[in-house]
Amino acid sequence: MSEKRKASIQEFREMKKKGKKIRMVTAYDHPTAVIVEKTEIEMILVGDSLGMVVLGYDSTVPVTVEDILHHTKPVVKGAPNIHIIADMPFMSYQASAEDAIRNAGRLIKEGGADSIKLEGGLNYASTVRAIVKAGVPVMAHIGLTPQTASSLGGFKVQGKDAERAQELIDSVVALEDAGAFAIVLECIPSPLAKMISERLAIPTIGIGAGPYCDGQVLVTQDLLGLFDRFVPKFVKQYAQIGQLELEALNRYAEEVASGEFPGKAHSYTMKEEELRKLRP
Ligand code: KIV
């Protein structure tokens, strides 16, 4: 197997041109990043899904820049040869371009990420332009944008009618023009994702957007079966790690209660003669 090496933004475009799929997953901690580093996956997103799958919030809205920074640092350490994208949390870029540049800069400078991602369509093209101009690569994110899901009518497929689909097409064109190096398409119909992917020179990364995107992303907790509060249709569970974890923890609890654990194999001993010298 060839040596793993971090792909450049230019190489992601080349992959698109050659029809090579880009693979992305989320990670929020060092052990997960170390495992992803051992795969052929090219990108890790330290997503604000962190709020729901790790921090126990009901949405991604409460996630802060400090949270993303805190979780990006160990991921960067664990996966030195993977392109790491840090997510811009809600209200870290919406108020002004200055805020956006400052917070994006922190995720790169303090967090060590290679690029940032932000949610939003046409209205955020100027923000993307400003961040890119400041020297930070930006991945855009359109369709179902969880930070503003309530104003989109909940966690629903977006762009099902021509009017809304056209808005999404106009958004991706503007975001590409603003300098985004890739775009996440979340929860949109496959034919629309196909049209968008063919229209753009930059890669599209799909989640619930069908097979025609230039790459795919899934939340790692979803694909490992570690998050079962709800499982969207687009999630494929490749393992049931949550179930394995539950079984292991139950066995541990039973064995401690029964005295079966720790046995000889997991205990330390000392020489009899040393033991005899002791006065309890
Ligand atoms: O935060 C996240 O995990 C995301 C993915 C769903 C793309 O934004």
Side-chain angles (χ1 to χ4, degrees), residues 26 45 47-49 87 117 141 184 186 207 217 219:
T26 61
L45 170 68
D48 62 357
S49 50
D87 224 355
K117 175 173 85 57
H141 180 163
V184 169
E186 179 162 355
I207 175 163
V217 56
V219 170

Side-chain angles (χ1 to χ4, degrees), residues 37-117:
E37 173 82 7
K38 292 180 188 157
T39 70
E40 293 186 349
I41 289 166
E42 290 91 2
M43 289 180 173
I44 290 179
L45 170 68
V46 185
D48 62 357
S49 50
L50 162 78
M52 297 179 78
V53 301
V54 174
L55 302 180
Y57 301 143
D58 290 333
S59 79
T60 58
V61 169
V63 175
T64 64
V65 172
E66 299 306 326
D67 290 332
I68 298 288
L69 272 175
H70 181 74
H71 288 266
T72 299
K73 290 175 193 178
V75 169
V76 167
K77 276 210 175 126
N81 295 300
I82 299 186
H83 182 99
I84 316 280
I85 303 135
D87 224 355
M88 295 280 280
F90 186 56
M91 281 304 147
S92 66
Y93 60 95
Q94 284 88 344
S96 68
E98 286 73 22
D99 261 12
I101 294 170
R102 195 173 310 109
N103 288 320
R106 287 192 69 196
L107 297 181
I108 303 291
K109 203 173 146 104
E110 296 172 44
D114 298 297
S115 62
I116 63 97
K117 175 173 85 57

Side-chain angles (χ1 to χ4, degrees), residues 5-243:
R5 188 179 56 77
K6 193 183 291 228
S8 66
I9 282 168
Q10 196 47 43
E11 283 167 319
F12 291 129
R13 268 198 192 221
E14 291 300 317
M15 285 179 75
K16 172 176 176 124
K17 266 195 201 152
K18 291 182 186 151
K20 282 183 78 181
K21 296 282 187 187
I22 300 167
R23 292 142 312 170
M24 173 161 127
V25 291
T26 61
Y28 321 98
D29 59 56
H30 189 263
T32 306
V34 168
I35 294 174
V36 181
E37 173 82 7
K38 292 180 188 157
T39 70
E40 293 186 349
I41 289 166
E42 290 91 2
M43 289 180 173
I44 290 179
L45 170 68
V46 185
D48 62 357
S49 50
L50 162 78
M52 297 179 78
V53 301
V54 174
L55 302 180
Y57 301 143
D58 290 333
S59 79
T60 58
V61 169
V63 175
T64 64
V65 172
E66 299 306 326
D67 290 332
I68 298 288
L69 272 175
H70 181 74
H71 288 266
T72 299
K73 290 175 193 178
V75 169
V76 167
K77 276 210 175 126
N81 295 300
I82 299 186
H83 182 99
I84 316 280
I85 303 135
D87 224 355
M88 295 280 280
F90 186 56
M91 281 304 147
S92 66
Y93 60 95
Q94 284 88 344
S96 68
E98 286 73 22
D99 261 12
I101 294 170
R102 195 173 310 109
N103 288 320
R106 287 192 69 196
L107 297 181
I108 303 291
K109 203 173 146 104
E110 296 172 44
D114 298 297
S115 62
I116 63 97
K117 175 173 85 57
L118 60 80
E119 296 179 7
L122 204 52
N123 293 346
Y124 286 94
S126 61
T127 309
V128 169
R129 194 178 296 281
I131 300 173
V132 171
K133 197 166 161 220
V136 176
V138 178
M139 176 180 276
H141 180 163
I142 61 116
L144 173 57
T145 44
Q147 290 173 14
T148 45
S150 48
S151 47
L152 297 173
F155 286 82
K156 280 191 186 157
V157 182
Q158 301 295 309
K160 280 173 96 169
D161 61 75
E163 192 184 342
R164 178 75 183 120
Q166 188 59 51
E167 271 172 39
L168 292 174
I169 294 173
D170 296 345
S171 291
V172 293
V173 169
L175 291 162
E176 178 177 66
D177 183 62
F181 76 93
I183 302 196
V184 169
L185 307 180
E186 179 162 355
C187 249
I188 65 170
S190 317
L192 176 60
K194 182 171 190 283
M195 198 177 281
I196 288 176
S197 301
E198 286 168 359
R199 170 72 175 75
L200 301 179
I202 58 173
T204 57
I205 311 289
I207 175 163
Y212 304 110
C213 299
D214 304 303
Q216 294 291 329
V217 56
L218 277 181
V219 170
T220 295
Q221 272 69 7
D222 285 341
L223 79 87
L224 294 181
L226 272 167
F227 183 76
D228 56 11
R229 261 197 279 160
F230 61 89
V231 181
K233 173 182 161 78
F234 61 75
V235 167
K236 179 168 176 182
Q237 291 185 326
Y238 287 83
Q240 295 297 334
I241 304 295
Q243 189 54 33

